[in-house]
Amino acid sequence: MLPNITLSGVTFELENGRTLFHDLTFSLEPKLTALVGPNGIGKSTLAKLIAGDLHPIRGSIKRSDNIVVFSQAEAPPDIPVYEYLVDYTWSLLGDKLLEGIDLEMMCGTLSGGQWMRVRLAHILSESFIILDEPTNNLDREARQILLDFLRHYQYGVLLISHDRECLRLCEDILELSPQGISKYGGGWEAYEKEKEEERERLQKNLIHAKKERDSAQAERTTQLERQEKKNREGKKKALKGGIPRILLGGMKRRAEVTSGKIDSSTIESINAKVREAHEAFQELKVDPVMYADLIGKEIPNQKLVAEALDFNIKFQDWIYSEDLNFSWRGNVRIAIKGKNGSGKSTLIKAILGDEFTTRGEIKRGDLKTVYLDQRTSSLEDSKSIFENVRAVSDLPDVEVRNGLARFLFFGDSVFQKAETLSGGERLRAALAQGLLHSERPELLIMDEPTNNLDLANIQFLEELVSQFKGALLMISHDEIFLENCKIEDELMI
């Protein structure tokens, strides 16, 4: 299989002079390849280099085919679908995508899933395609359409994604890290297995190096104590007058030399072990994660979380095709599901007490609640991270700073304004705000929390949420995330 794209010795610098990539060499074949790595590592920039939108300062990029870039989001234009598809090239896959869509409809009136299908049909050609985070903000219908597209497209795709359903379809994995780029064959499961084996091996190296360092430290302490004991015994003998003055001077000089040798040799040994441990740690390629405890507080089994009786909400019309009826008590773990625009977030707001035109009844229990919406609006943009947390916590300033460090906000970064934060940083700041509160939360509500997180943080968030002891209400279209968060039940809207 001949490569579509070949990069040789590619180096790229940002405008501030920082080298983002150095001497990258790899090729892309007409197959489904994933590009993974932590947020901020440069995946989208690398995609722009491959597409020709940016140019390296050194190295070369050869392309045997045209490259089409499918961006994360595109607002539908105010034109009919047929006009948007004026350059559409007939294909079986394209016709399948457009099946059931009225081409006379205005693009802006399409559902999220329909707009995804039209966009995919629009880019279809015998070209290599770059998909940059295509599942962000997609509902389940649109996500399934994308998955089907990836299964059938045959001209090559580079997929930048943290969505494991998509990643599991990929044949090759390109991992971008501070150490460069590594290519893994055999698909996603083989990649995960190899990465786990690599982590275990390097973790063992790290543990062994630390043990060697500690052993050297202990040996140094023992030798110095032994030498000090000999020195003290020599002094005692000298005080008793049992040693001639000329011999006493020689013993003192030898003791000083011996102590110096012990100190020099053992310190060098310790430093070598420390360097070895540090190098082993650096090799781990550990992605940054939010390492905070999210334990929460259990609530009694019969304590009310939320309850709806023949409940509905009206805007122009009643938004739910059938009135809602549910009763959630105790430490429930519920996924609220439905298409985009079906009213999932609106239901959460109603549970939290927002006022709407309604019928029926809805109640919520008196619970200490942490709510993270899609825009993390609990953060005041004009305030710093520290000020946002300080406003809800009675912890001393030092403990607030220490707590923020556990969410990867170190040093002066805690004074960064919320309005300047990236999506992933905002989520970490909002989590810190909720979890560094004086009281432990009893109810955690999260609305599409994974949209702006890289895979390492998604997996850590899963572990975090899976251990939460209180009640959990979650909106997400990511089935793997929901499963790993130990969701027990669902409400389909």
Side-chain angles (χ1 to χ4, degrees):
M1 188 179 291
L2 296 175
N4 288 48
I5 302 151
T6 301
L7 283 75
S8 302
V10 168
T11 298
F12 180 77
E13 288 182 356
L14 300 175
E15 290 183 358
N16 61 12
R18 182 170 74 89
T19 299
L20 188 59
F21 307 125
H22 177 70
D23 198 27
L24 295 186
T25 298
F26 64 92
S27 61
L28 292 167
E29 298 172 347
K31 59 169 70 172
L32 181 53
T33 302
L35 177 61
V36 300
N39 284 345
I41 199 68
K43 299 187 297 295
S44 294
T45 301
L46 180 56
K48 290 177 181 178
L49 283 165
I50 293 170
D53 297 332
L54 294 174
H55 303 283
I57 63 168
R58 282 191 301 277
S60 64
I61 302 175
K62 295 181 180 179
R63 308 169 184 87
S64 58
D65 293 317
N66 293 328
I67 297 175
V68 176
V69 178
F70 188 87
S71 59
Q72 290 186 27
E74 179 186 342
D78 189 24
I79 57 175
V81 173
Y82 72 81
E83 190 173 328
Y84 180 80
L85 294 172
V86 65
D87 297 323
Y88 169 68
T89 303
W90 179 88
S91 69
L92 289 174
L93 180 55
D95 284 1
K96 183 178 178 182
L97 287 168
L98 295 173
E99 187 176 340
I101 294 178
D102 183 354
L103 301 186
E104 300 285 339
M105 290 179 66
M106 301 297 287
C107 292
T109 64
L110 299 174
S111 70
Q114 289 173 327
W115 178 230
M116 167 62 75
R117 287 159 60 188
V118 169
R119 288 186 66 205
L120 287 171
H122 182 248
I123 65 169
L124 282 182
S125 61
E126 295 183 6
S127 299
F128 192 92
I129 296 177
I130 297 176
L131 297 174
D132 191 353
E133 295 290 0
T135 60
N136 273 7
N137 302 309
L138 293 189
D139 59 22
R140 191 66 212 167
E141 176 198 8
R143 188 183 293 258
Q144 192 59 53
I145 290 164
L146 179 66
L147 290 169
D148 289 341
F149 171 81
L150 292 174
R151 289 187 185 99
H152 294 102
Y153 192 73
Q154 56 185 313
Y155 300 106
V157 174
L158 179 65
L159 173 69
I160 302 173
S161 180
H162 306 300
D163 188 306
R164 284 159 294 183
E165 283 187 276
C166 293
L167 292 173
R168 286 176 177 177
L169 300 177
C170 294
E171 300 170 78
D172 289 339
I173 312 296
L174 286 172
E175 181 192 63
L176 191 59
S177 75
Q179 286 73 37
I181 199 157
S182 302
K183 191 169 186 177
Y184 299 82
W188 182 251
E189 290 185 4
Y191 165 76
E192 284 195 311
K193 182 179 179 182
E194 189 168 343
K195 291 300 294 180
E196 184 59 34
E197 290 174 352
E198 181 186 17
R199 287 189 200 97
E200 290 176 1
R201 176 176 58 81
L202 294 174
Q203 188 67 40
K204 287 177 182 178
N205 290 348
L206 177 58
I207 292 170
H208 178 72
K210 286 183 175 180
K211 284 182 178 179
E212 289 290 316
R213 178 197 61 190
D214 294 343
S215 176
Q217 177 72 60
E219 179 64 20
R220 172 178 180 266
T221 301
T222 299
Q223 289 187 22
L224 288 176
E225 288 175 350
R226 187 181 298 129
Q227 187 58 47
E228 285 296 323
K229 183 178 179 182
K230 287 182 180 180
N231 293 347
R232 287 194 300 272
E233 290 175 351
K235 287 179 182 179
K236 285 180 183 179
K237 289 180 180 180
L239 289 172
K240 291 179 180 179
I243 300 176
R245 185 180 297 275
I246 189 170
L247 293 179
L248 181 61
M251 287 177 62
K252 183 179 179 181
R253 287 191 296 274
R254 283 195 300 274
E256 290 172 350
V257 171
T258 303
S259 295
K261 285 182 178 178
I262 292 170
D263 198 44
S264 174
S265 63
T266 52
I267 284 177
E268 179 53 37
S269 176
I270 290 167
N271 286 339
K273 301 303 178 187
V274 169
R275 287 193 296 272
E276 185 179 343
H278 180 70
E279 288 168 6
F281 181 77
Q282 288 295 99
E283 284 184 59
L284 281 170
K285 297 184 188 175
V286 176
D287 295 331
V289 295
M290 300 169 297
Y291 47 97
D293 299 321
L294 177 59
I295 302 303
K297 182 180 179 181
E298 290 190 41
I299 57 179
N301 289 337
Q302 292 306 311
K303 188 166 185 177
L304 178 65
V305 174
E307 187 172 66
L309 179 63
D310 297 328
F311 179 72
N312 215 322
I313 298 172
K314 187 174 185 179
F315 292 138
Q316 291 181 331
D317 297 306
W318 298 103
I319 65 173
Y320 305 123
S321 58
E322 296 181 6
D323 292 346
L324 302 180
N325 287 277
F326 57 81
S327 182
W328 300 327
R329 296 177 182 273
N331 302 297
V332 293
R333 307 179 73 85
I334 307 291
I336 301 173
K337 297 183 176 181
K339 294 180 180 180
N340 285 346
S342 62
K344 303 184 297 297
S345 297
T346 304
L347 174 60
I348 288 295
K349 291 176 182 177
I351 291 173
L352 290 170
D354 285 16
E355 293 188 3
F356 300 99
T357 300
T358 64
R359 69 185 181 203
E361 187 177 11
I362 193 161
K363 299 178 183 178
R364 180 173 75 89
D366 182 18
L367 301 172
K368 169 58 187 168
T369 301
V370 171
Y371 168 52
L372 297 180
D373 63 11
Q374 294 182 39
R375 295 177 299 281
T376 54
S377 54
S378 63
L379 298 173
E380 290 192 39
D381 284 346
S382 61
K383 289 185 177 181
S384 69
I385 300 168
F386 177 80
E387 289 170 332
N388 270 288
V389 175
R390 197 74 193 85
V392 299
S393 176
D394 60 4
L395 295 172
D397 287 0
V398 172
E399 290 191 33
V400 171
R401 293 288 297 271
N402 290 340
L404 283 170
R406 304 176 75 192
F407 290 86
L408 303 181
F409 296 116
F410 304 104
D412 290 342
S413 69
V414 302
F415 301 118
Q416 192 174 348
K417 298 290 186 184
E419 63 189 357
T420 67
L421 301 177
S422 67
E425 288 170 333
R426 283 188 70 89
L427 181 72
R428 286 192 276 117
L431 276 170
Q433 184 186 47
L435 302 176
L436 296 176
H437 197 282
S438 309
E439 300 177 63
R440 285 189 299 163
E442 300 168 298
L443 171 62
L444 176 62
I445 302 176
M446 307 186 85
D447 190 348
E448 293 289 359
T450 63
N451 275 356
N452 297 297
L453 294 186
D454 56 27
L455 188 57
N457 277 318
I458 290 173
Q459 291 172 329
F460 185 84
L461 186 59
E462 289 170 345
E463 181 66 22
L464 204 92
V465 173
S466 70
Q467 296 181 33
F468 184 74
K469 295 184 180 299
L472 173 67
L473 302 181
M474 180 78 74
I475 298 175
S476 178
H477 299 292
D478 187 335
E479 292 294 331
I480 296 175
F481 176 73
L482 292 174
E483 180 183 346
N484 292 339
C485 285
K486 299 181 179 177
I487 293 296
E488 298 169 347
D489 206 349
E490 65 180 45
L491 174 68
M492 180 65 72
I493 296 178

